[in-house]
Amino acid sequence: MTATHSPVDPKLLEILVCPVTKETLEYNRERNELISVKAGLAYPIRDGIPIMLPDEARVIAD
């Protein structure tokens, strides 16, 4: 089974913030992730659902 890149509801993207910094997130369509620049974290989106857990986030290298 492969991961699907389900689109995320744009209204959801407008209200989501990083749970660590409380700052807005950037949507990376190619990687299907929500990026918190300030925290240096990328939160995955699985089946159209953002996984907003810091333990599940990918650390972004500077």
Side-chain angles (χ1 to χ4, degrees):
M1 182 182 281
T2 59
T4 58
H5 292 311
S6 302
V8 178
D9 183 345
K11 289 183 182 184
L12 183 61
L13 292 177
E14 289 176 13
I15 62 171
L16 284 177
V17 295
C18 174
V20 176
T21 66
K22 308 298 185 234
E23 305 256 335
T24 57
L25 299 162
E26 297 177 12
Y27 177 50
N28 182 319
R29 185 179 303 269
E30 282 184 19
R31 294 194 73 140
N32 206 36
E33 297 176 321
L34 293 174
I35 309 296
S36 173
V37 175
K38 191 170 185 177
L41 296 172
Y43 298 95
I45 300 170
R46 297 186 190 127
D47 297 322
I49 301 168
I51 310 300
M52 304 302 296
L53 301 170
D55 290 347
E56 293 284 324
R58 178 175 65 84
V59 176
I60 300 170
D62 288 335

mmCIF file of all heavy atoms in Angstrom, residues 7-38:
data_model
loop_
_atom_site.group_PDB
_atom_site.id
_atom_site.type_symbol
_atom_site.label_atom_id
_atom_site.label_comp_id
_atom_site.label_asym_id
_atom_site.label_seq_id
_atom_site.Cartn_x
_atom_site.Cartn_y
_atom_site.Cartn_z
ATOM 1 N N PRO A 7 -5.648 15.909 -0.890
ATOM 2 C CA PRO A 7 -5.621 17.351 -0.665
ATOM 3 C C PRO A 7 -6.139 17.703 0.728
ATOM 4 O O PRO A 7 -6.986 17.008 1.278
ATOM 5 C CB PRO A 7 -6.531 17.910 -1.748
ATOM 6 C CG PRO A 7 -7.334 16.768 -2.231
ATOM 7 C CD PRO A 7 -6.584 15.516 -1.912
ATOM 8 N N VAL A 8 -5.600 18.779 1.266
ATOM 9 C CA VAL A 8 -6.007 19.253 2.583
ATOM 10 C C VAL A 8 -6.995 20.393 2.376
ATOM 11 O O VAL A 8 -6.816 21.235 1.502
ATOM 12 C CB VAL A 8 -4.787 19.744 3.387
ATOM 13 C CG1 VAL A 8 -5.193 20.276 4.735
ATOM 14 C CG2 VAL A 8 -3.785 18.625 3.542
ATOM 15 N N ASP A 9 -8.021 20.418 3.192
ATOM 16 C CA ASP A 9 -9.022 21.474 3.121
ATOM 17 C C ASP A 9 -8.341 22.826 3.355
ATOM 18 O O ASP A 9 -7.721 23.032 4.399
ATOM 19 C CB ASP A 9 -10.090 21.222 4.182
ATOM 20 C CG ASP A 9 -11.229 22.220 4.157
ATOM 21 O OD1 ASP A 9 -11.093 23.282 3.516
ATOM 22 O OD2 ASP A 9 -12.252 21.929 4.793
ATOM 23 N N PRO A 10 -8.439 23.746 2.393
ATOM 24 C CA PRO A 10 -7.790 25.061 2.557
ATOM 25 C C PRO A 10 -8.245 25.807 3.815
ATOM 26 O O PRO A 10 -7.450 26.530 4.418
ATOM 27 C CB PRO A 10 -8.206 25.828 1.298
ATOM 28 C CG PRO A 10 -8.551 24.765 0.311
ATOM 29 C CD PRO A 10 -9.077 23.607 1.100
ATOM 30 N N LYS A 11 -9.486 25.637 4.212
ATOM 31 C CA LYS A 11 -9.963 26.301 5.432
ATOM 32 C C LYS A 11 -9.248 25.758 6.658
ATOM 33 O O LYS A 11 -8.968 26.490 7.601
ATOM 34 C CB LYS A 11 -11.476 26.134 5.574
ATOM 35 C CG LYS A 11 -12.239 26.934 4.560
ATOM 36 C CD LYS A 11 -13.718 26.817 4.771
ATOM 37 C CE LYS A 11 -14.439 27.610 3.688
ATOM 38 N NZ LYS A 11 -15.861 27.621 3.860
ATOM 39 N N LEU A 12 -8.940 24.465 6.645
ATOM 40 C CA LEU A 12 -8.197 23.857 7.744
ATOM 41 C C LEU A 12 -6.789 24.443 7.807
ATOM 42 O O LEU A 12 -6.283 24.753 8.883
ATOM 43 C CB LEU A 12 -8.147 22.334 7.565
ATOM 44 C CG LEU A 12 -7.469 21.538 8.657
ATOM 45 C CD1 LEU A 12 -8.177 21.731 9.992
ATOM 46 C CD2 LEU A 12 -7.432 20.071 8.293
ATOM 47 N N LEU A 13 -6.171 24.618 6.648
ATOM 48 C CA LEU A 13 -4.817 25.180 6.612
ATOM 49 C C LEU A 13 -4.781 26.595 7.175
ATOM 50 O O LEU A 13 -3.781 27.011 7.751
ATOM 51 C CB LEU A 13 -4.289 25.192 5.171
ATOM 52 C CG LEU A 13 -4.007 23.830 4.563
ATOM 53 C CD1 LEU A 13 -3.565 23.988 3.117
ATOM 54 C CD2 LEU A 13 -2.981 23.058 5.360
ATOM 55 N N GLU A 14 -5.876 27.336 7.020
ATOM 56 C CA GLU A 14 -5.923 28.708 7.522
ATOM 57 C C GLU A 14 -5.933 28.777 9.047
ATOM 58 O O GLU A 14 -5.450 29.742 9.624
ATOM 59 C CB GLU A 14 -7.177 29.416 6.999
ATOM 60 C CG GLU A 14 -7.127 29.726 5.533
ATOM 61 C CD GLU A 14 -8.428 30.338 5.034
ATOM 62 O OE1 GLU A 14 -9.266 30.751 5.860
ATOM 63 O OE2 GLU A 14 -8.601 30.391 3.809
ATOM 64 N N ILE A 15 -6.478 27.751 9.708
ATOM 65 C CA ILE A 15 -6.603 27.816 11.167
ATOM 66 C C ILE A 15 -5.548 27.018 11.926
ATOM 67 O O ILE A 15 -5.359 27.235 13.113
ATOM 68 C CB ILE A 15 -8.010 27.376 11.631
ATOM 69 C CG1 ILE A 15 -8.290 25.930 11.241
ATOM 70 C CG2 ILE A 15 -9.074 28.302 11.098
ATOM 71 C CD1 ILE A 15 -9.546 25.361 11.847
ATOM 72 N N LEU A 16 -4.852 26.115 11.238
ATOM 73 C CA LEU A 16 -3.831 25.314 11.920
ATOM 74 C C LEU A 16 -2.595 26.144 12.237
ATOM 75 O O LEU A 16 -2.165 26.970 11.430
ATOM 76 C CB LEU A 16 -3.413 24.131 11.056
ATOM 77 C CG LEU A 16 -4.385 22.965 10.985
ATOM 78 C CD1 LEU A 16 -3.851 21.915 10.024
ATOM 79 C CD2 LEU A 16 -4.620 22.365 12.348
ATOM 80 N N VAL A 17 -2.027 25.902 13.398
ATOM 81 C CA VAL A 17 -0.765 26.528 13.795
ATOM 82 C C VAL A 17 0.151 25.448 14.364
ATOM 83 O O VAL A 17 -0.300 24.375 14.761
ATOM 84 C CB VAL A 17 -0.959 27.653 14.849
ATOM 85 C CG1 VAL A 17 -1.745 28.807 14.270
ATOM 86 C CG2 VAL A 17 -1.597 27.129 16.105
ATOM 87 N N CYS A 18 1.410 25.744 14.423
ATOM 88 C CA CYS A 18 2.375 24.812 14.989
ATOM 89 C C CYS A 18 2.086 24.642 16.481
ATOM 90 O O CYS A 18 1.947 25.634 17.205
ATOM 91 C CB CYS A 18 3.792 25.361 14.784
ATOM 92 S SG CYS A 18 5.069 24.379 15.601
ATOM 93 N N PRO A 19 2.000 23.408 16.962
ATOM 94 C CA PRO A 19 1.741 23.198 18.381
ATOM 95 C C PRO A 19 2.906 23.620 19.280
ATOM 96 O O PRO A 19 2.716 23.830 20.474
ATOM 97 C CB PRO A 19 1.473 21.697 18.488
ATOM 98 C CG PRO A 19 2.076 21.095 17.287
ATOM 99 C CD PRO A 19 2.052 22.147 16.222
ATOM 100 N N VAL A 20 4.081 23.769 18.705
ATOM 101 C CA VAL A 20 5.257 24.160 19.480
ATOM 102 C C VAL A 20 5.365 25.677 19.584
ATOM 103 O O VAL A 20 5.520 26.226 20.673
ATOM 104 C CB VAL A 20 6.545 23.572 18.851
ATOM 105 C CG1 VAL A 20 7.788 24.060 19.590
ATOM 106 C CG2 VAL A 20 6.489 22.051 18.847
ATOM 107 N N THR A 21 5.258 26.364 18.432
ATOM 108 C CA THR A 21 5.481 27.816 18.401
ATOM 109 C C THR A 21 4.195 28.640 18.336
ATOM 110 O O THR A 21 4.236 29.845 18.538
ATOM 111 C CB THR A 21 6.334 28.195 17.184
ATOM 112 O OG1 THR A 21 5.576 27.907 15.995
ATOM 113 C CG2 THR A 21 7.658 27.463 17.172
ATOM 114 N N LYS A 22 3.096 27.995 17.992
ATOM 115 C CA LYS A 22 1.797 28.670 17.785
ATOM 116 C C LYS A 22 1.824 29.618 16.580
ATOM 117 O O LYS A 22 0.984 30.490 16.448
ATOM 118 C CB LYS A 22 1.335 29.444 19.031
ATOM 119 C CG LYS A 22 1.346 28.614 20.298
ATOM 120 C CD LYS A 22 0.412 27.425 20.225
ATOM 121 C CE LYS A 22 0.358 26.699 21.552
ATOM 122 N NZ LYS A 22 0.628 25.312 21.512
ATOM 123 N N GLU A 23 2.793 29.432 15.695
ATOM 124 C CA GLU A 23 2.922 30.249 14.486
ATOM 125 C C GLU A 23 2.227 29.552 13.317
ATOM 126 O O GLU A 23 1.977 28.349 13.347
ATOM 127 C CB GLU A 23 4.407 30.448 14.150
ATOM 128 C CG GLU A 23 5.201 31.027 15.271
ATOM 129 C CD GLU A 23 5.539 32.486 15.085
ATOM 130 O OE1 GLU A 23 5.594 32.953 13.949
ATOM 131 O OE2 GLU A 23 5.750 33.155 16.108
ATOM 132 N N THR A 24 1.946 30.319 12.258
ATOM 133 C CA THR A 24 1.305 29.748 11.079
ATOM 134 C C THR A 24 2.246 28.760 10.386
ATOM 135 O O THR A 24 3.464 28.799 10.586
ATOM 136 C CB THR A 24 0.897 30.848 10.081
ATOM 137 O OG1 THR A 24 2.044 31.602 9.729
ATOM 138 C CG2 THR A 24 -0.166 31.758 10.670
ATOM 139 N N LEU A 25 1.655 27.908 9.570
ATOM 140 C CA LEU A 25 2.394 26.860 8.883
ATOM 141 C C LEU A 25 2.374 27.096 7.378
ATOM 142 O O LEU A 25 1.448 27.710 6.849
ATOM 143 C CB LEU A 25 1.764 25.498 9.191
ATOM 144 C CG LEU A 25 1.756 25.102 10.663
ATOM 145 C CD1 LEU A 25 0.758 23.988 10.901
ATOM 146 C CD2 LEU A 25 3.139 24.688 11.107
ATOM 147 N N GLU A 26 3.389 26.583 6.705
ATOM 148 C CA GLU A 26 3.446 26.630 5.247
ATOM 149 C C GLU A 26 3.143 25.231 4.724
ATOM 150 O O GLU A 26 3.636 24.240 5.263
ATOM 151 C CB GLU A 26 4.834 27.061 4.781
ATOM 152 C CG GLU A 26 5.212 28.453 5.209
ATOM 153 C CD GLU A 26 6.632 28.824 4.804
ATOM 154 O OE1 GLU A 26 7.254 28.089 4.000
ATOM 155 O OE2 GLU A 26 7.121 29.836 5.309
ATOM 156 N N TYR A 27 2.357 25.160 3.658
ATOM 157 C CA TYR A 27 2.010 23.868 3.068
ATOM 158 C C TYR A 27 2.991 23.531 1.968
ATOM 159 O O TYR A 27 3.177 24.304 1.030
ATOM 160 C CB TYR A 27 0.588 23.916 2.523
ATOM 161 C CG TYR A 27 0.143 22.657 1.823
ATOM 162 C CD1 TYR A 27 0.305 21.414 2.424
ATOM 163 C CD2 TYR A 27 -0.462 22.705 0.585
ATOM 164 C CE1 TYR A 27 -0.124 20.256 1.810
ATOM 165 C CE2 TYR A 27 -0.896 21.555 -0.045
ATOM 166 C CZ TYR A 27 -0.716 20.335 0.565
ATOM 167 O OH TYR A 27 -1.138 19.195 -0.051
ATOM 168 N N ASN A 28 3.648 22.385 2.074
ATOM 169 C CA ASN A 28 4.551 21.893 1.034
ATOM 170 C C ASN A 28 3.805 20.793 0.285
ATOM 171 O O ASN A 28 3.674 19.674 0.782
ATOM 172 C CB ASN A 28 5.840 21.358 1.653
ATOM 173 C CG ASN A 28 6.825 20.873 0.610
ATOM 174 O OD1 ASN A 28 6.460 20.245 -0.369
ATOM 175 N ND2 ASN A 28 8.085 21.159 0.842
ATOM 176 N N ARG A 29 3.310 21.130 -0.900
ATOM 177 C CA ARG A 29 2.505 20.200 -1.686
ATOM 178 C C ARG A 29 3.323 18.995 -2.162
ATOM 179 O O ARG A 29 2.840 17.873 -2.168
ATOM 180 C CB ARG A 29 1.894 20.929 -2.883
ATOM 181 C CG ARG A 29 0.932 20.088 -3.695
ATOM 182 C CD ARG A 29 0.347 20.866 -4.845
ATOM 183 N NE ARG A 29 -0.342 22.076 -4.425
ATOM 184 C CZ ARG A 29 -1.629 22.132 -4.135
ATOM 185 N NH1 ARG A 29 -2.362 21.056 -4.224
ATOM 186 N NH2 ARG A 29 -2.178 23.265 -3.762
ATOM 187 N N GLU A 30 4.576 19.225 -2.549
ATOM 188 C CA GLU A 30 5.426 18.136 -3.049
ATOM 189 C C GLU A 30 5.647 17.050 -2.008
ATOM 190 O O GLU A 30 5.599 15.871 -2.307
ATOM 191 C CB GLU A 30 6.780 18.682 -3.510
ATOM 192 C CG GLU A 30 6.745 19.340 -4.854
ATOM 193 C CD GLU A 30 8.132 19.769 -5.293
ATOM 194 O OE1 GLU A 30 9.142 19.255 -4.758
ATOM 195 O OE2 GLU A 30 8.199 20.640 -6.177
ATOM 196 N N ARG A 31 5.924 17.458 -0.779
ATOM 197 C CA ARG A 31 6.204 16.486 0.286
ATOM 198 C C ARG A 31 4.980 16.155 1.117
ATOM 199 O O ARG A 31 5.039 15.313 2.006
ATOM 200 C CB ARG A 31 7.307 17.021 1.198
ATOM 201 C CG ARG A 31 8.636 17.129 0.444
ATOM 202 C CD ARG A 31 9.756 17.309 1.383
ATOM 203 N NE ARG A 31 10.011 16.049 2.060
ATOM 204 C CZ ARG A 31 11.208 15.582 2.332
ATOM 205 N NH1 ARG A 31 12.265 16.262 1.995
ATOM 206 N NH2 ARG A 31 11.355 14.445 2.975
ATOM 207 N N ASN A 32 3.868 16.878 0.843
ATOM 208 C CA ASN A 32 2.624 16.669 1.573
ATOM 209 C C ASN A 32 2.850 16.844 3.077
ATOM 210 O O ASN A 32 2.552 15.966 3.883
ATOM 211 C CB ASN A 32 2.023 15.301 1.238
ATOM 212 C CG ASN A 32 0.530 15.274 1.428
ATOM 213 O OD1 ASN A 32 -0.155 16.253 1.160
ATOM 214 N ND2 ASN A 32 0.017 14.164 1.908
ATOM 215 N N GLU A 33 3.393 18.006 3.421
ATOM 216 C CA GLU A 33 3.725 18.326 4.805
ATOM 217 C C GLU A 33 3.329 19.759 5.121
ATOM 218 O O GLU A 33 3.222 20.601 4.225
ATOM 219 C CB GLU A 33 5.234 18.226 5.051
ATOM 220 C CG GLU A 33 5.826 16.874 4.866
ATOM 221 C CD GLU A 33 7.326 16.864 5.021
ATOM 222 O OE1 GLU A 33 8.010 17.819 4.571
ATOM 223 O OE2 GLU A 33 7.839 15.891 5.578
ATOM 224 N N LEU A 34 3.171 20.026 6.405
ATOM 225 C CA LEU A 34 2.989 21.382 6.897
ATOM 226 C C LEU A 34 4.285 21.772 7.595
ATOM 227 O O LEU A 34 4.752 21.065 8.493
ATOM 228 C CB LEU A 34 1.804 21.462 7.863
ATOM 229 C CG LEU A 34 0.448 21.204 7.223
ATOM 230 C CD1 LEU A 34 -0.627 21.160 8.296
ATOM 231 C CD2 LEU A 34 0.126 22.255 6.187
ATOM 232 N N ILE A 35 4.854 22.880 7.177
ATOM 233 C CA ILE A 35 6.174 23.295 7.647
ATOM 234 C C ILE A 35 6.059 24.411 8.683
ATOM 235 O O ILE A 35 5.402 25.419 8.444
ATOM 236 C CB ILE A 35 7.032 23.817 6.472
ATOM 237 C CG1 ILE A 35 7.050 22.828 5.309
ATOM 238 C CG2 ILE A 35 8.434 24.197 6.937
ATOM 239 C CD1 ILE A 35 7.692 21.504 5.610
ATOM 240 N N SER A 36 6.730 24.209 9.812
ATOM 241 C CA SER A 36 6.889 25.261 10.804
ATOM 242 C C SER A 36 8.331 25.741 10.698
ATOM 243 O O SER A 36 9.256 25.064 11.162
ATOM 244 C CB SER A 36 6.618 24.736 12.218
ATOM 245 O OG SER A 36 6.933 25.734 13.162
ATOM 246 N N VAL A 37 8.512 26.878 10.046
ATOM 247 C CA VAL A 37 9.857 27.411 9.822
ATOM 248 C C VAL A 37 10.538 27.715 11.150
ATOM 249 O O VAL A 37 11.694 27.350 11.367
ATOM 250 C CB VAL A 37 9.791 28.668 8.918
ATOM 251 C CG1 VAL A 37 11.160 29.303 8.767
ATOM 252 C CG2 VAL A 37 9.212 28.308 7.564
ATOM 253 N N LYS A 38 9.825 28.370 12.050
ATOM 254 C CA LYS A 38 10.404 28.780 13.331
ATOM 255 C C LYS A 38 10.830 27.578 14.180
ATOM 256 O O LYS A 38 11.894 27.595 14.795
ATOM 257 C CB LYS A 38 9.413 29.650 14.100
ATOM 258 C CG LYS A 38 10.012 30.322 15.304
ATOM 259 C CD LYS A 38 9.069 31.352 15.882
ATOM 260 C CE LYS A 38 9.719 32.101 17.017
ATOM 261 N NZ LYS A 38 8.860 33.153 17.553
#
